[in-house]
Amino acid sequence: MEDLEGVLGLPFILPVNPPREEEEEGGGGPGGDGMPPGLLPSHKGSVVMFLDRGYGVDDQATFYRLLDDAFLPDLRAATTLDMAAASESDMALALNRYLCTSVLPLLLKHSHFFRESEHMSVLLETMLQTCYRLSKCRTLTKGQQEMTSDFLVAFTQELRLPLMTNLLRKLTVDVPALSEHAVVPLRVLTHHYERSGSYYGTG
């Protein structure tokens, strides 16, 4: 288990710029497929599957250790690439696949660990903001956006209401814009008020 966590905690080498035209014709970087050298998202995806099926995540301490040391940095890497010139690189697309087919389903499966976690409020706030930024990535497919939406709904349902304050400010700006990215904030906001409407309606 320690070795698996160690592998998942290794950082990816992120492309700074999109491949040049001649590199694309020749197959990209050192791997010949436009991917950077070293550990790839598909490698970590296999490790996540083995960890889940072979060991499981049986306690909250392990869950938060994985979140802090491995999964949150990878989520940040995906949002970083989306803001850079390499947003449509092979690495960015592979990161999206890894996060939405391996990481978020695992976190969704164990979302009950987010309950009663006031001692982890800083980490939870960071995770919430990062996942919301991920949901707005331009290169997400429809299925990946739905997975991100499912996770955010499950995640926010377990959080104490004060932790939602900063996200709610963003949601109330993004929802009225009615852009192509309004589906996720609208769903999260709807589920939040269905769960907590009475909290806001009492004086």
Side-chain angles (χ1 to χ4, degrees), residues 131-137 140 145-146 148-150 152-153 156 164 167-193:
C131 283
Y132 185 58
R133 283 198 297 272
L134 178 70
S135 75
K136 299 169 75 171
C137 284
L140 289 184
Q145 192 177 56
E146 288 175 354
T148 309
S149 176
D150 289 344
L152 277 169
V153 168
T156 55
M164 289 289 295
L167 180 63
L168 287 173
R169 291 194 184 103
K170 293 183 178 181
L171 295 180
T172 53
V173 171
D174 291 344
V175 168
L178 293 178
S179 69
E180 59 184 303
H181 298 293
V183 174
V184 174
L186 181 60
R187 185 181 175 210
V188 173
L189 195 61
T190 300
H191 280 268
H192 175 70
Y193 279 109

